[in-house]
Amino acid sequence: MSLRPELSQAAVPLIEEVEVVDEQGRVRSAFLPGERPLTVYLDKRELVTLMTLGGAPEALVLGYLRNQRLVESIEDIAAIQVDWETESAAVTTRGGVDRIEERTARKIVTTGCGQGTVFGSLLDEVDQIRLPDDAVLDQQTLYSIVDTIRLQQSVYKQAGSVHGCALFQGRELLMFIEDVGRHNAVDAIAGRMWLEGMDGADKVFYTTGRLTSEMVIKGAQMGIPFLLSRSGVTQMGYQMAKRVNMTLFARCTGKHFLLYTGRQRFRHSEPQAAVA
């Protein structure tokens, strides 16, 4: 049996109720999503501060380490302990991290909400990623995914100001996580996948946020061939999707979508006959 890290259970309430005054002078309640700094320490070395909703902090840290390729195997992590009093996450490895100074020396600030970062060396490793060519997504499954997200209960519907990410296998929703920035939500799902030993080859990833190069890289790191969004695509996100051979959909609302890359994996429905 593989070794699993010891994890704290430090999830915090996601929303706070406050008093506001509306345009007609009426006092009423409104909800605010949480936003908390979480500084990650890797073997007592300060690594990064993440601004997070705080709903899945251990999974967020796990996914961040995975998607940055700072830790090769989950068995290398002994423990992750989150302490909100000190706003810190202490990661302890079993044998240290090789060349940690060199691998974290160059940071790139991304376009993610709350300013995501990737370490520069990660971009040099993108061409090593191989996504499965035989994965298939059909049009009706895509519509089902979009509709499932539309009906999903969420912090966004109560308070706004957050992004959501979801993992699907076919039409089945496996995970749904919201956070202040979409890069955090995708990292948290990556962390849960890593913890459960879940492969991405037959999965579909959905995000409410725009598809930037960072989002494409993270999806590719997780081995997921399909990335969907209700928002748009940046030029670098498009180029990166072509580079890693990912199937990329944007503007997915109702029955509308735009397929940008990886067309060979998509199966259109048979066109319906015109009504006389």
Side-chain angles (χ1 to χ4, degrees), residues 126-179:
V126 165
D127 292 327
Q128 300 175 19
I129 298 172
R130 295 290 180 269
L131 297 178
D133 289 320
D134 57 352
V136 173
L137 178 66
D138 65 74
Q139 193 162 346
Q140 294 307 311
T141 298
L142 186 153
Y143 288 157
S144 176
I145 289 171
V146 173
D147 196 51
T148 297
I149 295 296
R150 181 180 63 83
L151 298 174
Q152 177 71 25
Q153 292 298 314
S154 64
V155 172
Y156 180 83
K157 289 180 180 179
Q158 287 184 282
S161 305
V162 297
H163 280 295
C165 289
L167 185 71
F168 285 84
Q169 185 172 27
R171 302 185 184 194
E172 180 185 1
L173 174 62
L174 302 178
M175 304 177 195
F176 178 78
I177 292 181
E178 293 174 291
D179 212 319

Side-chain angles (χ1 to χ4, degrees), residues 14-35:
L14 303 184
I15 58 175
E16 176 184 350
E17 188 174 2
V18 297
E19 190 176 89
V20 298
V21 178
D22 67 16
E23 69 281 354
Q24 296 183 19
R26 295 172 300 191
V27 177
R28 60 185 182 88
S29 294
F31 294 96
L32 299 177
E35 183 180 14

Side-chain angles (χ1 to χ4, degrees), residues 212-274:
T212 63
S213 58
E214 179 188 18
M215 292 299 291
V216 173
I217 291 172
K218 287 179 184 292
Q221 291 274 52
M222 296 153 67
I224 300 174
F226 302 101
L227 184 54
L228 281 62
S229 174
R230 72 182 182 199
S231 188
V233 183
T234 68
Q235 182 270 344
M236 192 170 177
Y238 171 76
Q239 293 296 335
M240 190 62 68
K242 291 179 66 176
R243 184 170 167 182
V244 299
N245 190 29
M246 178 179 283
T247 301
L248 201 67
F249 297 87
R251 304 296 183 187
C252 298
T253 55
K255 300 296 184 182
H256 175 70
F257 63 87
L258 297 175
L259 171 56
Y260 283 82
T261 60
R263 299 178 186 179
Q264 75 281 1
R265 295 193 186 95
F266 186 62
R267 300 293 180 265
H268 283 275
S269 300
E270 291 295 328
Q272 297 181 350

Side-chain angles (χ1 to χ4, degrees), residues 50-68:
L50 305 171
M51 299 303 298
T52 178
L53 199 60
E58 295 83 9
L60 167 61
V61 173
L62 267 177
Y64 183 85
L65 295 174
R66 177 189 181 181
N67 282 337
Q68 299 293 337

